[in-house]
Amino acid sequence: MEEELEDVKPVRYAYGLTSALLVGGAAITLVTGHPAGAQVAQNDDSRMTNVVPRAGAPASFADLTEQLQPAVVNISTRQRVEVNTNPFAGSPLGQLFRRQQPQQPQTREAQSLGSGFIISADGYVVTNNHVVSPNGRGTVEEITVTLADGREYEAELVGADAASDLAVLKISRREAFPFVKFGDSTQARTGDWVVAIGNPFGLGGTVTSGIVSSVLRNTGGGAYDRYIQTDASINRGNSGGPLFDMQGNVIGINNAIFSPTGASVGIGFAIPAEVAAPIVEQLKVGEAIERGYLGVSIEPVSDDLADSLGLPKNRGELVQIVVPDEAADDAGIEPGDIVTSVNGQTVTRDQTLSFLVANIKPGTRIPIELIRNGQSRTVNVVVGKRPTEEELARSQMFNQDSQDQDLPENMDADNVVFEKLGLQVVEMNPQIARQLGAGADTSGLAVAGVDPNSDAARKGLRRRDIILTANYQPLSSIADLEMAIREAEAAGREAVLLRFQRAGGNPVYRAVRIR
């Protein structure tokens, strides 16, 4: 079965966007020397020309487009994706628990389409991570890069970074390719003309123009959630394509749109070149992307909070939770502190604490200015290493009571426990214990999901319960519970006696039938 995958995914927006779709964009500088205008390996300064439209509204973008378009490519992938058949299908739990069936999982072939651009004569290509990553569980079997003149090449994935949604490919062919370079996105100004080139809806070589609507727009989705906003028409398939300034520099990588309809309404977002370029260079050489981390849960300072404390508006972020034994905790930062500055840079809505810290190398000692009980003070923090997105999702999976909250997609789906008892469980750690209101040294398994058709559900087990023992044997790992189930079956028993508790309650025993 073949299915076409859209190269979009939701992003959260702090101001209540009804829909947001990833679409891609990056900034590059173009110097010409190739007949079509893009830079080639044999640079000859005597032949180099720059097409720079006159100030104000350009009469035409044709000359600029002619030079840039050869370095912009269409990207298509062929993927093998596992079919989701679990009872949680249609909910976030369905993304997490895909392997509950003991038999070989069913798969289907799928495709995705997107855009990208060549950044070197030897064929390195930049795009969005989501363009070349499987949608859910599966593998990418083939990546094809198509140039503006129709030539097709196979490409390999050199490196990818989910947090910034960036990926680097390498064309599997030794020849000189037209390419473009990253420019300086810090010089972009609201109102500047920009041009986007890409593959919207599979229509390759599409050129659109507009202006920079806002610089460094924060949409509230993560540590690298800071974008250039543009009204240049960007749609599905533009993901990973470049956003050019009028000098042919790539100042952004088209990455997201806000759209109630799924199509462009004039609000598009591009990853700034200042963010993308250093990550791309690391991915090219195979370096791991390490980001700074404090270990706090924060929220912006609202107008009411600012009024209540006599603080300037739109400045600082309130610390709600401090993770034990992480960098902030070690430095003495406390819940209720208002962080106003990180390493000399002011914390604002467009320059968040998460963004500032993520861009600091782990192990660096920095000053953090904060307000506590109305008094300003400075603490010195040794920045920690940011966990992976999956690890962060695990550590926050019980922060809310909602059964439908997002859970980490790649968490080990314990087949035996789910198949036999209808339970999805995770091993306890101090962070999960804190979220469940238990002691940091609590041992057991936390229930992350319950099949509503299982005997466990009928016996009253639910999400956020902590299973302490199975057949009177303490549990410290998922393997312990699997062993208890196998031993019960080997002895001809049809149930397992579980002892569990929930926050504020006493432990109880329930015999759960094996299915």
Side-chain angles (χ1 to χ4, degrees), residues 125-153:
V125 177
V126 174
T127 186
N128 282 153
N129 174 64
H130 75 266
V131 171
V132 294
S133 295
N135 185 7
R137 294 188 55 80
T139 58
V140 173
E141 297 185 335
E142 184 178 78
I143 301 174
T144 301
V145 170
T146 304
L147 273 61
D149 59 10
R151 288 179 292 165
E152 293 186 355
Y153 300 92

Side-chain angles (χ1 to χ4, degrees), residues 75-140:
I75 297 173
S76 61
T77 71
R78 183 168 57 85
Q79 306 173 5
R80 181 65 56 183
V81 182
E82 288 186 14
V83 176
N84 184 1
T85 59
N86 73 67
F88 295 115
S91 74
L93 282 174
Q95 300 176 1
L96 174 60
F97 308 134
R98 296 176 182 271
R99 290 184 289 163
Q100 78 283 359
Q101 301 297 334
Q103 68 270 21
Q104 186 71 19
Q106 298 180 1
T107 63
R108 67 168 184 268
E109 186 173 284
Q111 296 178 336
S112 68
L113 297 172
S115 305
F117 54 98
I118 305 173
I119 60 169
S120 64
D122 54 351
Y124 281 96
V125 177
V126 174
T127 186
N128 282 153
N129 174 64
H130 75 266
V131 171
V132 294
S133 295
N135 185 7
R137 294 188 55 80
T139 58
V140 173

Side-chain angles (χ1 to χ4, degrees), residues 228-274:
I228 295 173
Q229 181 182 332
T230 180
D231 68 349
S233 184
I234 293 172
N235 289 284
R236 299 175 184 179
N238 276 110
S239 285
L243 185 71
F244 293 105
D245 64 15
M246 291 297 96
Q247 285 70 46
N249 303 317
V250 180
I251 59 168
I253 301 176
N254 299 317
N255 178 259
I257 61 173
F258 160 58
S259 175
T261 64
S264 175
V265 293
I267 303 178
F269 302 99
I271 304 170
E274 62 183 296

